[in-house]
Amino acid sequence: MSSETVTIIDDATGKKVQLPLLSPTSGPKTIDISTLYKELGYFTYDPGFMSTASCSSAITFLDGQKGVLQYRGYPIEQLAEQSSYLEVCFILINDKLPSRQELVDFVNEVTNHTMLHEALKRFYSGFRRDAHPMAIMVGVVGALAAFYHDHMDIQNPEHRRITALRLIAKIPTIAAWSYRYAMGKPFIYPNNSMSYTENFLNMMFSMPSEVYHPDPLLAKALDLILILHADHEQNASTATVRLAGSSGANPFAAVAAGIAALWGPAHGGANEAVIRMLMDINESGKSLQSFVDRAKDKDDSFRLMGFGHRVYKNYDPRAKLIRKICHQLLGDMESTGEQKKLLETAMALEKVALEDDYFVKRNLYPNVDFYYGIIFLAMGIPMNMFTVILSMARTIGWITQWTEMVSDENYKIGRPRQLYTGPIDLEYIPMDKR
Ligand code: CMC
């Protein structure tokens, strides 16, 4: 630990407290305030975690000013170019590059766990036909806890490893079935002779009555999208998984909590909102500037969806890569006139916004959600499945972060404090006297 400190002086009492200043491998130095309450009797206040590191972690590095994202030290651009999603899963969970044999063994192990317990199938029929697939995801992934609970010891590294494998393996099956159920189509079982993403596309789109060959171009594009979303350090859903898991809760239940957090439009749900916005723009016949003006108007709740990020104050590196894939894919595919129009609108909107003083001053750039919905539409994936696929990709990040937390012998249950602003010491008035 560094010997640097920061001194806090209490103006009221003159008492001085020296707090350790921690140095990360990279990124801002961090004041360790854990003794502050003991020393001064004060809490710190930081709603939305604007300046607070909620944990230490060696998994994902993100520099929002420079637009850098790295998993276990490997830049996202290199992984996107040269790796595969399952290799990225291996790297995240094992903290090393696999040898050729290790990767083969890992892929085989994941492939062996793709089936769901038959009883889990019955959970789907409990949902209304029009249930949002994310609601189904929360329910069914949470239900996995019921299947793997009694014989699971979260302190046992082998149990943790198997849990990670099970989650990565089963999540495409759960995700595809949430779509099939809503469509009233039969569930397609995993096909272990296919690659991870081919198998997902097969479970999404094939019919028992027809031959279906997943398009390798789409499978490759999907693999890339999964790589780009595999982890993103302490965002709302990951922090939720850590907090839920910190009580010693079942990891499947903790991951279900993460899926619930991801669903919101300020987080993973933004991709759906981006497409709706682009469609609205195209249908309205109004100028792009008029939408940008609305986004700037504080009396209007409209925001440019897919713009801005809590951490990135530069171009989101994932958005750059996704924009590239989007161009390649739409260029290579036929009959995507509608998606091409959406892409053109997205690019024109990006240009107008990036030249606007409001966006420039606030460092608002396109984020990861801005372009990938267009790719999904081109793949035939409906809008309500966008966030489901994101949750599929992020499952490895969540379980790796959970594993890191519970492997640390000194981890504590997460228990934030509060700045109470409600009434105190009121006198209860019996019902007949009110
Ligand atoms: N359109 C218009 N103004 C915006 C936007 C936007 N998309 N994003 C931020 N601003 C303004 C905001 O009004 C504020 O202005 P002022 O300083 O005058 O009050 C300033 O920029 C800072 O924004 P903030 O809301 O305080 O920043 P935040 O870090 O709390 O919010 C955000 C980040 C992503 C929730 C926000 O930028 C947003 O709502 N974006 C649109 C939704 C979106 O695309 N979400 C996906 C996030 S990336 C995927 C993920 O990581 O999950």
Short mmCIF file of all heavy atoms in Angstrom, two decimals, residues 132-187:
data_model
loop_
_atom_site.label_atom_id
_atom_site.label_comp_id
_atom_site.label_asym_id
_atom_site.label_seq_id
_atom_site.Cartn_x
_atom_site.Cartn_y
_atom_site.Cartn_z
N HIS A 132 -42.35 -9.17 -21.44
CA HIS A 132 -41.07 -8.73 -22.01
C HIS A 132 -40.04 -9.83 -21.74
O HIS A 132 -39.96 -10.34 -20.62
CB HIS A 132 -40.64 -7.41 -21.37
CG HIS A 132 -39.55 -6.72 -22.14
ND1 HIS A 132 -38.28 -7.21 -22.24
CD2 HIS A 132 -39.56 -5.59 -22.89
CE1 HIS A 132 -37.54 -6.40 -22.99
NE2 HIS A 132 -38.31 -5.40 -23.40
N PRO A 133 -39.24 -10.19 -22.77
CA PRO A 133 -38.26 -11.27 -22.54
C PRO A 133 -37.28 -10.97 -21.40
O PRO A 133 -36.75 -11.91 -20.79
CB PRO A 133 -37.51 -11.38 -23.87
CG PRO A 133 -38.24 -10.56 -24.85
CD PRO A 133 -39.27 -9.73 -24.16
N MET A 134 -37.07 -9.69 -21.09
CA MET A 134 -36.18 -9.40 -19.95
C MET A 134 -36.83 -9.83 -18.64
O MET A 134 -36.14 -10.26 -17.70
CB MET A 134 -35.82 -7.91 -19.90
CG MET A 134 -34.71 -7.51 -20.83
SD MET A 134 -33.14 -8.37 -20.50
CE MET A 134 -32.41 -7.33 -19.25
N ALA A 135 -38.16 -9.70 -18.55
CA ALA A 135 -38.85 -10.15 -17.34
C ALA A 135 -38.70 -11.67 -17.21
O ALA A 135 -38.47 -12.20 -16.12
CB ALA A 135 -40.33 -9.76 -17.41
N ILE A 136 -38.77 -12.34 -18.35
CA ILE A 136 -38.61 -13.81 -18.35
C ILE A 136 -37.18 -14.17 -17.92
O ILE A 136 -36.95 -15.08 -17.14
CB ILE A 136 -38.95 -14.40 -19.74
CG1 ILE A 136 -40.41 -14.07 -20.09
CG2 ILE A 136 -38.69 -15.90 -19.78
CD1 ILE A 136 -40.89 -14.63 -21.42
N MET A 137 -36.21 -13.39 -18.44
CA MET A 137 -34.81 -13.65 -18.09
C MET A 137 -34.60 -13.54 -16.57
O MET A 137 -33.94 -14.40 -15.97
CB MET A 137 -33.89 -12.63 -18.78
CG MET A 137 -33.76 -12.77 -20.27
SD MET A 137 -32.99 -14.30 -20.77
CE MET A 137 -31.28 -13.99 -20.36
N VAL A 138 -35.14 -12.47 -15.98
CA VAL A 138 -34.97 -12.27 -14.54
C VAL A 138 -35.53 -13.50 -13.80
O VAL A 138 -34.88 -14.06 -12.90
CB VAL A 138 -35.69 -10.98 -14.06
CG1 VAL A 138 -35.63 -10.86 -12.54
CG2 VAL A 138 -35.08 -9.74 -14.71
N GLY A 139 -36.73 -13.92 -14.22
CA GLY A 139 -37.39 -15.03 -13.55
C GLY A 139 -36.65 -16.35 -13.73
O GLY A 139 -36.38 -17.07 -12.76
N VAL A 140 -36.28 -16.65 -14.98
CA VAL A 140 -35.71 -17.99 -15.24
C VAL A 140 -34.27 -18.09 -14.71
O VAL A 140 -33.89 -19.12 -14.14
CB VAL A 140 -35.82 -18.35 -16.74
CG1 VAL A 140 -35.18 -19.70 -17.01
CG2 VAL A 140 -37.27 -18.36 -17.19
N VAL A 141 -33.49 -17.02 -14.88
CA VAL A 141 -32.11 -17.10 -14.34
C VAL A 141 -32.16 -17.18 -12.82
O VAL A 141 -31.42 -17.96 -12.20
CB VAL A 141 -31.25 -15.89 -14.83
CG1 VAL A 141 -29.90 -15.88 -14.13
CG2 VAL A 141 -31.06 -15.96 -16.34
N GLY A 142 -33.08 -16.42 -12.21
CA GLY A 142 -33.25 -16.52 -10.74
C GLY A 142 -33.65 -17.94 -10.35
O GLY A 142 -33.18 -18.47 -9.34
N ALA A 143 -34.49 -18.55 -11.18
CA ALA A 143 -34.96 -19.91 -10.88
C ALA A 143 -33.83 -20.93 -10.92
O ALA A 143 -33.91 -21.98 -10.28
CB ALA A 143 -36.06 -20.31 -11.85
N LEU A 144 -32.75 -20.63 -11.65
CA LEU A 144 -31.60 -21.57 -11.67
C LEU A 144 -31.08 -21.80 -10.25
O LEU A 144 -30.53 -22.86 -9.95
CB LEU A 144 -30.47 -21.01 -12.54
CG LEU A 144 -30.59 -21.12 -14.06
CD1 LEU A 144 -29.39 -20.45 -14.71
CD2 LEU A 144 -30.68 -22.58 -14.51
N ALA A 145 -31.26 -20.78 -9.40
CA ALA A 145 -30.80 -20.91 -8.01
C ALA A 145 -31.47 -22.11 -7.34
O ALA A 145 -30.87 -22.79 -6.50
CB ALA A 145 -31.11 -19.63 -7.22
N ALA A 146 -32.71 -22.36 -7.73
CA ALA A 146 -33.44 -23.47 -7.12
C ALA A 146 -32.87 -24.82 -7.54
O ALA A 146 -33.00 -25.81 -6.84
CB ALA A 146 -34.91 -23.39 -7.50
N PHE A 147 -32.23 -24.84 -8.72
CA PHE A 147 -31.68 -26.10 -9.24
C PHE A 147 -30.26 -26.35 -8.74
O PHE A 147 -29.80 -27.46 -8.73
CB PHE A 147 -31.71 -26.09 -10.77
CG PHE A 147 -33.11 -26.15 -11.30
CD1 PHE A 147 -33.90 -25.01 -11.38
CD2 PHE A 147 -33.67 -27.36 -11.69
CE1 PHE A 147 -35.20 -25.06 -11.85
CE2 PHE A 147 -34.97 -27.42 -12.16
CZ PHE A 147 -35.74 -26.27 -12.24
N TYR A 148 -29.56 -25.28 -8.41
CA TYR A 148 -28.15 -25.43 -7.98
C TYR A 148 -27.97 -24.67 -6.68
O TYR A 148 -27.35 -23.62 -6.65
CB TYR A 148 -27.21 -24.87 -9.04
CG TYR A 148 -27.45 -25.45 -10.41
CD1 TYR A 148 -28.07 -24.71 -11.40
CD2 TYR A 148 -27.06 -26.76 -10.69
CE1 TYR A 148 -28.30 -25.25 -12.65
CE2 TYR A 148 -27.29 -27.31 -11.94
CZ TYR A 148 -27.92 -26.54 -12.91
OH TYR A 148 -28.15 -27.08 -14.15
N HIS A 149 -28.56 -25.13 -5.62
CA HIS A 149 -28.43 -24.39 -4.37
C HIS A 149 -27.82 -25.23 -3.26
O HIS A 149 -26.72 -24.97 -2.79
CB HIS A 149 -29.78 -23.82 -3.94
CG HIS A 149 -29.67 -22.96 -2.72
ND1 HIS A 149 -29.06 -21.72 -2.76
CD2 HIS A 149 -30.02 -23.16 -1.44
CE1 HIS A 149 -29.08 -21.19 -1.56
NE2 HIS A 149 -29.64 -22.04 -0.74
N ASP A 150 -28.54 -26.31 -2.91
CA ASP A 150 -28.16 -27.07 -1.71
C ASP A 150 -26.73 -27.61 -1.77
O ASP A 150 -26.02 -27.60 -0.78
CB ASP A 150 -29.12 -28.25 -1.51
CG ASP A 150 -30.50 -27.74 -1.14
OD1 ASP A 150 -30.57 -26.53 -0.80
OD2 ASP A 150 -31.46 -28.51 -1.22
N HIS A 151 -26.31 -28.04 -2.98
CA HIS A 151 -24.99 -28.67 -3.05
C HIS A 151 -23.95 -27.65 -3.51
O HIS A 151 -22.92 -28.02 -4.05
CB HIS A 151 -25.03 -29.88 -3.97
CG HIS A 151 -25.75 -29.62 -5.26
ND1 HIS A 151 -27.11 -29.62 -5.34
CD2 HIS A 151 -25.31 -29.33 -6.49
CE1 HIS A 151 -27.48 -29.34 -6.58
NE2 HIS A 151 -26.39 -29.16 -7.30
N MET A 152 -24.23 -26.39 -3.33
CA MET A 152 -23.26 -25.40 -3.78
C MET A 152 -22.62 -24.67 -2.60
O MET A 152 -23.31 -24.13 -1.75
CB MET A 152 -23.97 -24.39 -4.67
CG MET A 152 -22.97 -23.42 -5.11
SD MET A 152 -23.53 -22.31 -6.29
CE MET A 152 -22.12 -21.27 -6.19
N ASP A 153 -21.29 -24.64 -2.60
CA ASP A 153 -20.56 -23.93 -1.54
C ASP A 153 -19.80 -22.78 -2.21
O ASP A 153 -18.85 -23.02 -2.96
CB ASP A 153 -19.60 -24.93 -0.87
CG ASP A 153 -18.66 -24.25 0.11
OD1 ASP A 153 -18.84 -23.04 0.37
OD2 ASP A 153 -17.73 -24.93 0.60
N ILE A 154 -20.21 -21.56 -1.95
CA ILE A 154 -19.58 -20.44 -2.67
C ILE A 154 -18.12 -20.21 -2.25
O ILE A 154 -17.39 -19.51 -2.93
CB ILE A 154 -20.38 -19.11 -2.55
CG1 ILE A 154 -20.47 -18.64 -1.10
CG2 ILE A 154 -21.75 -19.23 -3.18
CD1 ILE A 154 -21.04 -17.24 -0.98
N GLN A 155 -17.72 -20.84 -1.15
CA GLN A 155 -16.30 -20.73 -0.75
C GLN A 155 -15.42 -21.73 -1.49
O GLN A 155 -14.20 -21.68 -1.39
CB GLN A 155 -16.14 -20.96 0.77
CG GLN A 155 -16.89 -19.95 1.65
CD GLN A 155 -16.56 -18.50 1.27
OE1 GLN A 155 -15.47 -18.20 0.79
NE2 GLN A 155 -17.52 -17.59 1.44
N ASN A 156 -16.03 -22.63 -2.22
CA ASN A 156 -15.27 -23.68 -2.91
C ASN A 156 -14.96 -23.22 -4.34
O ASN A 156 -15.87 -23.03 -5.15
CB ASN A 156 -16.13 -24.96 -2.91
CG ASN A 156 -15.43 -26.11 -3.57
OD1 ASN A 156 -14.66 -25.94 -4.53
ND2 ASN A 156 -15.69 -27.30 -3.06
N PRO A 157 -13.64 -23.04 -4.67
CA PRO A 157 -13.29 -22.51 -5.99
C PRO A 157 -13.82 -23.36 -7.14
O PRO A 157 -14.21 -22.84 -8.18
CB PRO A 157 -11.75 -22.52 -6.00
CG PRO A 157 -11.35 -22.61 -4.57
CD PRO A 157 -12.47 -23.27 -3.83
N GLU A 158 -13.88 -24.68 -6.96
CA GLU A 158 -14.37 -25.54 -8.03
C GLU A 158 -15.87 -25.32 -8.24
O GLU A 158 -16.35 -25.29 -9.37
CB GLU A 158 -14.05 -27.02 -7.69
CG GLU A 158 -14.47 -28.03 -8.74
CD GLU A 158 -13.89 -27.77 -10.16
OE1 GLU A 158 -12.97 -26.97 -10.31
OE2 GLU A 158 -14.42 -28.39 -11.12
N HIS A 159 -16.60 -25.14 -7.15
CA HIS A 159 -18.04 -24.85 -7.29
C HIS A 159 -18.25 -23.52 -8.00
O HIS A 159 -19.16 -23.38 -8.81
CB HIS A 159 -18.71 -24.80 -5.90
CG HIS A 159 -18.83 -26.15 -5.26
ND1 HIS A 159 -19.69 -26.41 -4.23
CD2 HIS A 159 -18.19 -27.32 -5.51
CE1 HIS A 159 -19.58 -27.68 -3.86
NE2 HIS A 159 -18.66 -28.24 -4.63
N ARG A 160 -17.39 -22.56 -7.68
CA ARG A 160 -17.52 -21.24 -8.34
C ARG A 160 -17.23 -21.39 -9.84
O ARG A 160 -17.88 -20.78 -10.67
CB ARG A 160 -16.56 -20.22 -7.72
CG ARG A 160 -16.89 -19.88 -6.28
CD ARG A 160 -16.19 -18.62 -5.85
NE ARG A 160 -14.76 -18.77 -5.74
CZ ARG A 160 -14.10 -18.90 -4.58
NH1 ARG A 160 -14.74 -18.89 -3.44
NH2 ARG A 160 -12.78 -19.03 -4.57
N ARG A 161 -16.24 -22.19 -10.16
CA ARG A 161 -15.87 -22.38 -11.57
C ARG A 161 -17.02 -23.03 -12.35
O ARG A 161 -17.39 -22.58 -13.43
CB ARG A 161 -14.60 -23.26 -11.65
CG ARG A 161 -13.91 -23.25 -12.99
CD ARG A 161 -12.72 -24.21 -12.99
NE ARG A 161 -13.16 -25.60 -13.05
CZ ARG A 161 -13.50 -26.25 -14.16
NH1 ARG A 161 -13.44 -25.64 -15.32
NH2 ARG A 161 -13.91 -27.51 -14.13
N ILE A 162 -17.59 -24.06 -11.75
CA ILE A 162 -18.71 -24.75 -12.43
C ILE A 162 -19.90 -23.81 -12.58
O ILE A 162 -20.60 -23.82 -13.59
CB ILE A 162 -19.13 -26.03 -11.62
CG1 ILE A 162 -17.97 -27.02 -11.55
CG2 ILE A 162 -20.38 -26.67 -12.21
CD1 ILE A 162 -17.71 -27.79 -12.83
N THR A 163 -20.11 -22.98 -11.57
CA THR A 163 -21.23 -22.03 -11.65
C THR A 163 -21.03 -21.09 -12.84
O THR A 163 -21.97 -20.81 -13.60
CB THR A 163 -21.31 -21.20 -10.34
OG1 THR A 163 -21.54 -22.10 -9.28
CG2 THR A 163 -22.42 -20.17 -10.39
N ALA A 164 -19.80 -20.60 -13.00
CA ALA A 164 -19.51 -19.70 -14.12
C ALA A 164 -19.76 -20.43 -15.45
O ALA A 164 -20.40 -19.90 -16.35
CB ALA A 164 -18.07 -19.20 -14.04
N LEU A 165 -19.27 -21.66 -15.55
CA LEU A 165 -19.46 -22.43 -16.78
C LEU A 165 -20.94 -22.64 -17.08
O LEU A 165 -21.40 -22.48 -18.20
CB LEU A 165 -18.80 -23.81 -16.66
CG LEU A 165 -17.29 -23.87 -16.74
CD1 LEU A 165 -16.81 -25.30 -16.54
CD2 LEU A 165 -16.79 -23.36 -18.09
N ARG A 166 -21.68 -23.01 -16.02
CA ARG A 166 -23.12 -23.26 -16.22
C ARG A 166 -23.81 -22.01 -16.73
O ARG A 166 -24.63 -22.06 -17.65
CB ARG A 166 -23.77 -23.66 -14.88
CG ARG A 166 -23.49 -25.08 -14.50
CD ARG A 166 -24.41 -25.51 -13.35
NE ARG A 166 -24.25 -26.93 -13.11
CZ ARG A 166 -23.89 -27.46 -11.94
NH1 ARG A 166 -23.68 -26.69 -10.89
NH2 ARG A 166 -23.77 -28.77 -11.82
N LEU A 167 -23.47 -20.89 -16.12
CA LEU A 167 -24.14 -19.64 -16.53
C LEU A 167 -23.83 -19.29 -17.98
O LEU A 167 -24.73 -19.00 -18.76
CB LEU A 167 -23.70 -18.50 -15.61
CG LEU A 167 -24.63 -18.27 -14.42
CD1 LEU A 167 -23.95 -17.44 -13.36
CD2 LEU A 167 -25.94 -17.62 -14.85
N ILE A 168 -22.54 -19.32 -18.33
CA ILE A 168 -22.18 -18.95 -19.71
C ILE A 168 -22.84 -19.90 -20.69
O ILE A 168 -23.28 -19.51 -21.77
CB ILE A 168 -20.64 -19.02 -19.95
CG1 ILE A 168 -19.84 -18.35 -18.85
CG2 ILE A 168 -20.28 -18.39 -21.28
CD1 ILE A 168 -18.38 -18.80 -18.87
N ALA A 169 -22.90 -21.18 -20.31
CA ALA A 169 -23.43 -22.19 -21.23
C ALA A 169 -24.95 -22.11 -21.38
O ALA A 169 -25.48 -22.28 -22.47
CB ALA A 169 -23.05 -23.58 -20.72
N LYS A 170 -25.64 -21.84 -20.28
CA LYS A 170 -27.11 -21.93 -20.31
C LYS A 170 -27.78 -20.62 -20.73
O LYS A 170 -28.93 -20.63 -21.16
CB LYS A 170 -27.64 -22.36 -18.93
CG LYS A 170 -27.25 -23.78 -18.59
CD LYS A 170 -27.76 -24.18 -17.23
CE LYS A 170 -27.06 -25.42 -16.71
NZ LYS A 170 -26.95 -26.56 -17.62
N ILE A 171 -27.08 -19.51 -20.59
CA ILE A 171 -27.74 -18.24 -20.82
C ILE A 171 -28.24 -18.08 -22.27
O ILE A 171 -29.34 -17.56 -22.47
CB ILE A 171 -26.85 -17.05 -20.32
CG1 ILE A 171 -27.70 -15.83 -20.02
CG2 ILE A 171 -25.74 -16.70 -21.25
CD1 ILE A 171 -28.19 -15.74 -18.63
N PRO A 172 -27.50 -18.58 -23.29
CA PRO A 172 -28.07 -18.46 -24.64
C PRO A 172 -29.36 -19.28 -24.78
O PRO A 172 -30.30 -18.85 -25.46
CB PRO A 172 -26.97 -19.03 -25.56
CG PRO A 172 -25.72 -18.95 -24.77
CD PRO A 172 -26.13 -19.15 -23.34
N THR A 173 -29.41 -20.44 -24.15
CA THR A 173 -30.61 -21.27 -24.23
C THR A 173 -31.79 -20.53 -23.56
O THR A 173 -32.88 -20.43 -24.13
CB THR A 173 -30.37 -22.63 -23.53
OG1 THR A 173 -29.09 -23.13 -23.92
CG2 THR A 173 -31.45 -23.63 -23.85
N ILE A 174 -31.52 -19.99 -22.37
CA ILE A 174 -32.59 -19.27 -21.64
C ILE A 174 -33.06 -18.07 -22.46
O ILE A 174 -34.25 -17.79 -22.59
CB ILE A 174 -32.08 -18.82 -20.25
CG1 ILE A 174 -31.75 -20.04 -19.40
CG2 ILE A 174 -33.09 -17.92 -19.56
CD1 ILE A 174 -31.09 -19.72 -18.07
N ALA A 175 -32.08 -17.35 -23.04
CA ALA A 175 -32.41 -16.13 -23.81
C ALA A 175 -33.23 -16.48 -25.05
O ALA A 175 -34.27 -15.88 -25.31
CB ALA A 175 -31.12 -15.42 -24.20
N ALA A 176 -32.77 -17.47 -25.81
CA ALA A 176 -33.47 -17.83 -27.04
C ALA A 176 -34.89 -18.32 -26.72
O ALA A 176 -35.85 -17.98 -27.41
CB ALA A 176 -32.69 -18.91 -27.79
N TRP A 177 -35.03 -19.07 -25.64
CA TRP A 177 -36.36 -19.59 -25.29
C TRP A 177 -37.30 -18.48 -24.84
O TRP A 177 -38.51 -18.59 -25.02
CB TRP A 177 -36.23 -20.68 -24.22
CG TRP A 177 -35.68 -21.98 -24.76
CD1 TRP A 177 -35.12 -22.18 -26.00
CD2 TRP A 177 -35.62 -23.24 -24.10
NE1 TRP A 177 -34.72 -23.47 -26.14
CE2 TRP A 177 -35.01 -24.16 -24.99
CE3 TRP A 177 -36.00 -23.70 -22.84
CZ2 TRP A 177 -34.79 -25.50 -24.65
CZ3 TRP A 177 -35.78 -25.03 -22.50
CH2 TRP A 177 -35.19 -25.91 -23.40
N SER A 178 -36.75 -17.42 -24.28
CA SER A 178 -37.63 -16.32 -23.86
C SER A 178 -38.27 -15.68 -25.10
O SER A 178 -39.40 -15.22 -25.08
CB SER A 178 -36.88 -15.28 -23.02
OG SER A 178 -35.98 -14.55 -23.81
N TYR A 179 -37.52 -15.69 -26.20
CA TYR A 179 -38.05 -15.17 -27.47
C TYR A 179 -39.05 -16.16 -28.07
O TYR A 179 -40.15 -15.80 -28.49
CB TYR A 179 -36.87 -14.94 -28.42
CG TYR A 179 -37.25 -14.71 -29.86
CD1 TYR A 179 -37.92 -13.55 -30.25
CD2 TYR A 179 -36.91 -15.64 -30.83
CE1 TYR A 179 -38.25 -13.34 -31.58
CE2 TYR A 179 -37.25 -15.43 -32.17
CZ TYR A 179 -37.92 -14.28 -32.53
OH TYR A 179 -38.25 -14.07 -33.84
N ARG A 180 -38.66 -17.45 -28.09
CA ARG A 180 -39.52 -18.47 -28.69
C ARG A 180 -40.87 -18.53 -27.98
O ARG A 180 -41.90 -18.71 -28.60
CB ARG A 180 -38.86 -19.86 -28.61
CG ARG A 180 -37.51 -19.98 -29.22
CD ARG A 180 -37.52 -19.87 -30.70
NE ARG A 180 -38.18 -20.96 -31.35
CZ ARG A 180 -37.94 -21.34 -32.62
NH1 ARG A 180 -37.01 -20.69 -33.34
NH2 ARG A 180 -38.60 -22.32 -33.17
N TYR A 181 -40.84 -18.38 -26.66
CA TYR A 181 -42.09 -18.46 -25.91
C TYR A 181 -43.03 -17.34 -26.32
O TYR A 181 -44.21 -17.58 -26.60
CB TYR A 181 -41.80 -18.40 -24.40
CG TYR A 181 -43.07 -18.40 -23.61
CD1 TYR A 181 -43.83 -19.57 -23.50
CD2 TYR A 181 -43.56 -17.24 -23.02
CE1 TYR A 181 -45.04 -19.58 -22.82
CE2 TYR A 181 -44.77 -17.24 -22.34
CZ TYR A 181 -45.50 -18.41 -22.23
OH TYR A 181 -46.69 -18.42 -21.59
N ALA A 182 -42.49 -16.12 -26.41
CA ALA A 182 -43.34 -14.98 -26.77
C ALA A 182 -43.90 -15.14 -28.18
O ALA A 182 -45.00 -14.69 -28.47
CB ALA A 182 -42.52 -13.69 -26.66
N MET A 183 -43.14 -15.80 -29.05
CA MET A 183 -43.58 -15.97 -30.44
C MET A 183 -44.52 -17.18 -30.60
O MET A 183 -45.04 -17.43 -31.68
CB MET A 183 -42.37 -16.20 -31.36
CG MET A 183 -41.36 -15.07 -31.39
SD MET A 183 -42.08 -13.56 -32.02
CE MET A 183 -42.19 -13.93 -33.75
N GLY A 184 -44.65 -17.95 -29.54
CA GLY A 184 -45.47 -19.16 -29.63
C GLY A 184 -44.81 -20.24 -30.48
O GLY A 184 -45.49 -21.10 -31.04
N LYS A 185 -43.49 -20.17 -30.58
CA LYS A 185 -42.78 -21.15 -31.40
C LYS A 185 -42.17 -22.23 -30.49
O LYS A 185 -41.86 -21.95 -29.33
CB LYS A 185 -41.65 -20.47 -32.19
CG LYS A 185 -42.19 -19.55 -33.28
CD LYS A 185 -41.05 -18.94 -34.06
CE LYS A 185 -41.60 -18.07 -35.19
NZ LYS A 185 -40.54 -17.35 -35.89
N PRO A 186 -41.97 -23.44 -31.02
CA PRO A 186 -41.40 -24.50 -30.16
C PRO A 186 -39.97 -24.18 -29.73
O PRO A 186 -39.23 -23.53 -30.46
CB PRO A 186 -41.41 -25.73 -31.08
CG PRO A 186 -41.47 -25.18 -32.47
CD PRO A 186 -42.20 -23.89 -32.40
N PHE A 187 -39.65 -24.63 -28.53
CA PHE A 187 -38.28 -24.44 -28.05
C PHE A 187 -37.33 -25.34 -28.86
O PHE A 187 -37.64 -26.51 -29.10
CB PHE A 187 -38.16 -24.82 -26.57
CG PHE A 187 -38.91 -23.90 -25.65
CD1 PHE A 187 -39.29 -24.31 -24.37
CD2 PHE A 187 -39.23 -22.60 -26.03
CE1 PHE A 187 -39.97 -23.47 -23.50
CE2 PHE A 187 -39.91 -21.74 -25.17
CZ PHE A 187 -40.28 -22.19 -23.91
#
